[in-house]
Amino acid sequence: MPGESLEIRDLVVGYGSDAPVLNGLSVNVQPGEIVALLGASGCGKTTLLRALAGFARVRSGQILVSGRDTIDLAPDKRNMAMVFQSYALWPHMTAAQNIAYGLKIRGIRQAEVNRRVEAVLAMVKLEGLGGRPVDNLSGGQRQRVALGRALAVDPQILLLDEPMSNLDARVRFEVRHEIKALQKKLRITTILVTHDREEAMTLADRILILEGGQVVQAGTPEEVYDQPNSPFVASFMGADNVMPVELRPEEGAIRVLGTDCIEETVLPLGDFAGDRPANPAEDGGGSFIVHFRSDAATIGNGDAPPQDTLTLRGRVTQCSYPGGTYRHAIDVGGQRLIVDDPQHYAVGDVVGIRLPKASLYFFPVNAS
């Protein structure tokens, strides 16, 4: 049976007399969907999860689960389960006792508790470890216990608050895919809070970008990554190289005006990254900022750039090798840009940064 639908209407949540953390936020989640919340620290991601679970007081708005308002329900009456960043396990209990805890406080008979615990241990790949104290388990195993405790109560909505942030990279990769497989198998409606863009892209059916307690963009991972609707979203989704440019509209094209560090270039309209620029002529041209990702650029010296390419000129200030490619910090007119290239360039080298038109996101300077 799939999870239930979740509708959040005009939710306002704050602490004390301070300004609201969430201010009129609205979200719809379909049954069985997994939605990831992404955003900078303080944007309201965890506050939203805590409000859904009943751990944060709601000033106004509605939280509808399959049409039923749950605002006034106690946390254990909402048919939701939350997995915390810190695991929140009972250290004096075994893995099995932790998993059984939620079942016992619901008054379920011991025989049924035992059956469910064994089933959950198998589900989260902890067979044979039920009798082990949680303090004797690895981080990845503890995370599985926390997930198993949430799943044991058969929730219709699962809330995950950065559940893998305490795991090392290898274990995080493994647990990530296990959670995805379990969520799809059980068809639980799931809300995931994460600061890890790759985690959100891997796990989610949809991603919501939050800023200042509001959803500023929502869409599939492909839509949010390929078509950011603002400079904030572009930067958050990895296009965090930023360069100011002056644009002038021409017939079917835009002209990027030249400076000491920008080669004047005419770029035909169409096939830009995302939907930008749809038509700078509508804005009369003028001052724009261009965003691009470090792996979308290449470095070239001397040879003619390919067609439909914007070229910037700068000086290498730093070079490192993260593996597979060299990462260069390049000063371009006072802007620090990061460019990945298979070739090593030394500090002090003057280089050209080649930017294919399809890698460029243009926004007017007054865009939010």
Side-chain angles (χ1 to χ4, degrees):
M1 177 180 177
E4 301 190 53
S5 64
L6 175 65
E7 184 179 359
I8 303 164
R9 293 182 182 171
D10 301 318
L11 197 67
V12 178
V13 181
Y15 300 100
S17 59
D18 293 339
V21 178
L22 304 175
N23 193 7
L25 182 142
S26 296
V27 171
N28 287 325
V29 182
Q30 298 303 311
E33 187 178 28
I34 180 167
V35 169
L37 308 179
L38 269 178
S41 296
C43 71
K45 304 186 299 295
T46 294
T47 295
L48 175 56
L49 236 58
R50 291 178 59 82
L52 295 176
F55 302 141
R57 185 177 179 182
V58 173
R59 294 183 183 176
S60 62
Q62 293 180 296
I63 299 173
L64 304 173
V65 177
S66 293
R68 305 184 307 275
D69 197 344
T70 65
I71 287 289
D72 295 325
L73 296 181
D76 62 329
K77 303 299 183 184
R78 298 191 179 200
N79 205 15
M80 301 183 191
M82 188 164 175
V83 177
F84 298 89
Q85 179 179 352
S86 61
Y87 310 151
L89 300 174
W90 297 107
H92 63 285
M93 293 183 181
T94 65
Q97 289 169 337
N98 269 278
I99 291 172
Y101 183 79
L103 299 171
K104 289 189 173 183
I105 64 175
R106 284 167 171 79
I108 295 175
R109 292 181 301 173
Q110 188 60 48
E112 177 63 12
V113 169
N114 294 341
R115 186 194 68 78
R116 288 203 200 179
V117 169
E118 287 303 313
V120 168
L121 285 168
M123 187 185 302
V124 297
K125 298 184 178 180
L126 290 176
E127 302 99 319
L129 298 178
R132 185 174 296 184
V134 292
D135 281 353
N136 293 345
L137 298 175
S138 68
Q141 290 168 335
R142 292 182 195 182
Q143 187 58 73
R144 289 182 174 93
V145 173
L147 179 61
R149 181 180 58 187
L151 296 175
V153 298
D154 195 24
Q156 290 301 295
I157 295 177
L158 181 62
L159 308 174
L160 303 175
D161 186 11
E162 302 204 34
M164 289 160 277
S165 62
N166 293 326
L167 304 179
D168 64 49
R170 182 188 62 81
V171 177
R172 186 164 62 244
F173 180 83
E174 179 181 334
V175 174
R176 178 188 301 166
H177 287 278
E178 289 175 0
I179 288 177
K180 175 84 169 183
L182 274 175
Q183 191 272 337
K184 291 304 177 187
K185 177 181 178 181
L186 301 174
R187 301 173 68 191
I188 301 175
T189 305
T190 302
I191 311 296
L192 166 71
V193 162
T194 180
H195 65 275
D196 186 321
R197 184 178 71 244
E198 181 180 342
E199 189 169 284
M201 298 281 290
T202 301
L203 285 170
D205 299 311
R206 279 192 303 140
I207 294 174
L208 309 184
I209 307 294
L210 271 64
E211 182 183 20
Q214 293 283 350
V215 176
V216 294
Q217 186 166 355
T220 65
E222 295 86 352
E223 289 169 344
V224 176
Y225 186 84
D226 294 331
Q227 300 179 33
N229 64 6
S230 70
F232 172 80
V233 176
S235 292
F236 205 85
M237 297 306 291
D240 48 6
N241 283 313
V242 181
M243 190 69 194
V245 295
E246 293 291 322
L247 302 183
R248 189 173 70 201
E250 297 192 354
E251 181 85 24
I254 58 169
R255 179 178 293 274
V256 183
L257 302 185
T259 67
D260 289 342
C261 57
I262 301 174
E263 291 188 8
E264 187 149 334
T265 308
V266 176
L267 300 173
L269 291 177
D271 298 326
F272 287 93
D275 295 325
R276 302 278 184 171
N279 187 353
E282 296 175 0
D283 302 305
S287 299
F288 281 68
I289 53 174
V290 59
H291 285 244
F292 65 93
R293 296 186 173 92
S294 62
D295 59 358
T298 57
I299 297 175
N301 276 332
D303 55 322
Q307 190 176 9
D308 294 348
T309 298
L310 177 63
T311 300
L312 311 177
R313 292 183 295 273
R315 186 180 300 273
V316 176
T317 60
Q318 190 175 7
C319 182
S320 59
Y321 185 71
T325 187
Y326 291 95
R327 182 153 295 161
H328 303 83
I330 303 174
D331 179 81
V332 178
Q335 297 287 121
R336 184 176 185 269
L337 306 179
I338 304 297
V339 178
D340 295 337
D341 195 272
Q343 183 173 336
H344 175 274
Y345 290 88
V347 171
D349 284 353
V350 176
V351 297
I353 302 173
R354 306 287 174 73
L355 300 172
K357 184 177 71 168
S359 71
L360 303 176
Y361 299 92
F362 286 94
F363 299 97
V365 292
N366 59 353
S368 59

